[in-house]
Amino acid sequence: MSIRVFHSKTSFRLESGQVLPELHIAYHTYGTMNADGSNVVWVCHALTANSDAADWWAGLIGPGRAIDPAKHFIVCANIIGSCYGSSGPHTVNPETGTPWFRSFPAVTIRDMVQAHILLRAHLQIPRIHLLIGGSMGGYQVLEWALTEPEVIDRLFLLCTGAAESAWGIAIHTAQRLAIEADNTWQDAHPDAGQKGLKAARAIGMLTYRNYQTFVRTQSDPDKEKTDDFRASSYICYQGDKLVKRFHAQSYWLLSKAMDSHNIARGRHEDITTSLSHISQPVLLVGITSDILCPPEEQQFLARHLPQATYHEIDSSYGHDGFLIEFEKIGKILSDWEK
């Protein structure tokens, strides 16, 4: 399925009060929606992913997989603020005729969810059978469940939490400092901040994996080495790889959006009260070695969501395990859906 873009010419008010004159939402769909819309599976993606969920989550989505387009109507929309077709720093501001770049306003997880809701209405989807999200995608799922509880039947959350942790905010701040140290990052140019983005990605890679993973896969057998270490080359490679497909201004903006995540903000006195209002069945998956959003965050969700089922996967892949351990995840999901 090729990418599509929904263009809403109606102004879009952000949580900050600022207004986008129009909105573009890039999205993919797979399969066919049935008559009553009861086979809709909506996937919310994480930080640097895009709307082609069948590509970056091929082990879970596709023919014969746990989420099968022969059975399900699958939707994934690129979040606003990103750089894969939805409104963001590199799309054109219709009021100026030039790209927004650094002038693109701040967005929150709730703004992303409001954009999803706009697309849901455009696609005439009456309800969502299963709403899925890992990491930042899980932030969107929790927000959406509280925003439109009557529309969503079930939730599937992986490696996520009810609010951004102090640990997560500290990591994101370090990444933004890396971007800001590149004096080109605010330039009105598509290549702005590339060196800063590379450094930010390097910081991120240390949290997506862990000590055990790096020691096992990136240790040098040559004890005589004094430079050009394998681990260093790997980190540089990952940074260069992201620079080729993502943009520093979007990364900076979206890291701020993650920091804003707290489902109790403006709703209830505490997070546990907000969680008690999510009455749908919820499947939770944690990864034992995840140091970015550790299992204790999913265990907290499991204790306070009224209908939660929690599974913990013993994996050495860290936070990235929710993208890599697709066979285990697929079996857990299939068994839960029976």
Side-chain angles (χ1 to χ4, degrees):
M1 176 69 195
S2 60
I3 191 170
R4 297 179 182 177
V5 179
F6 167 52
H7 180 196
S8 171
K9 295 184 179 180
T10 304
S11 60
F12 185 80
R13 181 172 293 275
L14 299 166
E15 192 178 0
S16 66
Q18 292 185 269
V19 177
L20 296 175
E22 62 181 23
L23 195 67
H24 290 85
I25 305 172
Y27 69 97
H28 279 72
T29 64
Y30 320 85
T32 304
M33 184 164 58
N34 59 19
D36 60 0
S38 61
N39 69 334
V40 176
V41 175
W42 194 299
V43 179
C44 296
H45 72 73
L47 176 60
T48 64
N50 55 40
S51 59
D52 192 1
D55 176 54
W56 54 262
W57 224 359
L60 199 65
I61 300 172
R65 302 296 187 182
I67 304 168
D68 191 336
K71 301 175 184 176
H72 305 110
F73 179 58
I74 306 152
V75 185
C76 184
N78 183 223
I79 53 176
I80 59 172
S82 185
C83 51
Y84 286 116
S86 292
S87 293
H90 288 257
T91 55
V92 172
N93 178 352
E95 294 182 345
T96 64
T98 59
W100 288 90
F101 293 121
R102 269 289 289 135
S103 66
F104 194 83
V107 297
T108 65
I109 301 297
R110 292 181 187 178
D111 294 327
M112 296 170 191
V113 168
Q114 290 300 325
H116 293 335
I117 291 171
L118 199 64
L119 178 61
R120 179 185 69 76
H122 168 71
L123 295 175
Q124 299 182 321
I125 295 174
R127 64 185 311 99
I128 296 170
H129 167 67
L130 180 63
L131 184 60
I132 302 176
S135 189
M136 185 187 186
Y139 297 177
Q140 298 161 56
V141 169
L142 287 165
E143 276 293 339
W144 202 344
L146 288 164
T147 304
E148 285 195 315
E150 71 286 354
V151 168
I152 299 158
D153 294 338
R154 316 185 100 193
L155 315 179
F156 183 21
L157 300 164
L158 307 96
C159 301
T160 197
E164 188 59 82
S165 67
W167 171 240
I169 292 169
I171 292 165
H172 301 152
T173 301
Q175 292 178 301
R176 287 193 297 272
L177 287 171
I179 291 172
E180 292 163 7
D182 183 334
N183 61 12
T184 72
W185 88 277
Q186 298 196 70
D187 290 355
H189 192 277
D191 294 335
Q194 288 190 338
K195 290 182 178 179
L197 177 59
K198 180 176 178 177
R201 182 61 163 185
I203 295 168
M205 288 305 301
L206 300 178
T207 68
Y208 300 149
R209 300 297 175 90
N210 51 49
Y211 172 88
Q212 289 79 10
T213 304
F214 272 86
V215 169
R216 187 181 69 251
T217 63
Q218 302 303 327
S219 292
D220 281 280
D222 182 3
K223 71 180 190 310
E224 302 300 330
K225 263 193 173 183
T226 60
D227 201 355
D228 299 322
F229 292 99
R230 181 181 294 179
S232 179
S233 296
Y234 175 76
I235 284 293
C236 289
Y237 163 76
Q238 290 293 343
D240 289 336
K241 189 176 174 183
L242 185 70
V243 165
K244 291 176 182 176
R245 69 174 181 87
F246 215 75
H247 298 288
Q249 292 166 356
S250 281
Y251 201 97
W252 191 96
L253 186 80
L254 295 179
S255 75
K256 281 281 191 179
M258 285 192 288
D259 290 353
S260 78
H261 172 55
N262 189 318
I263 62 170
R265 189 181 73 251
R267 289 193 177 105
H268 305 104
E269 290 184 1
D270 54 47
I271 287 172
T272 58
T273 303
S274 290
L275 289 173
S276 73
H277 286 266
I278 299 176
S279 59
Q280 300 96 327
V282 181
L283 176 61
L284 292 158
V285 166
I287 304 290
T288 54
S289 59
D290 186 352
I291 62 172
L292 180 59
C293 196
E296 63 191 77
E297 295 211 25
Q298 294 88 63
Q299 292 163 5
F300 178 86
L301 292 172
R303 288 195 301 273
H304 297 289
L305 288 164
Q307 293 196 70
T309 301
Y310 176 63
H311 288 267
E312 195 165 294
I313 294 175
D314 187 11
S315 168
S316 63
Y317 288 112
H319 190 66
D320 275 353
F322 86 91
L323 297 169
I324 297 169
E325 296 283 10
F326 54 83
E327 289 186 6
K328 294 176 182 177
I329 292 168
K331 186 178 188 309
I332 290 169
L333 176 58
S334 297
D335 290 345
W336 183 68
E337 284 272 77
K338 287 178 181 176

